[in-house]
Amino acid sequence: MLEAILVVFSSVGLIYASDPDILTDFTILVWQFSNLTGSYFTFKGFRDVGTNNLTGPVKVTKAVAAEFPALNGLGVSMAMLQFPVGGVNPPHTHPRASELLYLVDGSLLVGMVDTTAKLFTQNLTKGDLFVFPKGLLHYQLNADATYKALVVSAFRSANAGTMSVPSTLFTTGIPDDVLAKSFKTNTQAIELLKSGLKST
């Protein structure tokens, strides 16, 4: 019985843990160490973010472990999001990290839903911060009719992960009849939603 209790409590610790702590200053393959320079710790992918005249969907530029290996084991990452006029970052979650959003320029409507299905919304202006707890559904909308918005988001993981609700539900192969029953509609309505996502 005692062993079972210990297993449960040790599992709970794993569930709530963020990225695991590393036992060295940073992670790197042994064969790379002798050639290591400051460039390994430098990410240049944000240099041109915000300098173009963006149209179309929201553009996300990520600095996560996949693009910036120096982040492996450090428990941090960032992204920059460019919102054109009317641009929306659809409802999504980050299953492995909380997100701290900083509005660099423009204005933004943000929303978040907690586990009791309560919606929290806020209109942000330049310089504001908003936090999205790990795993909670959230979205952002640039409702400004004339001006774009620029956002920097920091994450408490080297790979926060993103699950977009529209694409997760309608483009991953979940059977139409399951979706139709879940949304209390018919398969024709589900097919219409799927076709709309294909055109974007």
Side-chain angles (χ1 to χ4, degrees), residues 43-61:
F43 180 75
K44 300 178 181 179
F46 290 158
R47 287 185 174 183
D48 295 325
V49 172
T51 59
N52 57 8
N53 192 5
L54 182 67
T55 59
V58 173
K59 182 177 179 188
V60 180
T61 306

Side-chain angles (χ1 to χ4, degrees), residues 36-44 68:
L36 193 63
T37 67
S39 64
Y40 178 75
F41 302 98
T42 305
F43 180 75
K44 300 178 181 179
F68 190 16

Side-chain angles (χ1 to χ4, degrees), residues 40-115:
Y40 178 75
F41 302 98
T42 305
F43 180 75
K44 300 178 181 179
F46 290 158
R47 287 185 174 183
D48 295 325
V49 172
T51 59
N52 57 8
N53 192 5
L54 182 67
T55 59
V58 173
K59 182 177 179 188
V60 180
T61 306
K62 297 178 185 177
V64 298
E67 290 84 10
F68 190 16
L71 297 179
N72 276 315
L74 301 182
V76 295
S77 60
M78 293 186 77
M80 291 191 76
L81 294 86
Q82 300 172 82
F83 288 81
V85 170
V88 65
N89 191 4
H92 63 281
T93 67
H94 302 293
R96 293 184 289 275
S98 298
E99 174 182 0
L100 183 61
L101 179 148
Y102 172 65
L103 184 58
V104 176
D105 201 15
S107 61
L108 208 60
L109 170 66
V110 297
M112 169 182 68
V113 180
D114 72 7
T115 58

Side-chain angles (χ1 to χ4, degrees), residues 119-133:
L119 174 65
F120 298 86
T121 62
Q122 185 67 42
N123 286 300
L124 304 180
T125 57
K126 181 178 177 178
D128 289 346
L129 289 170
F130 194 89
V131 66
F132 302 106

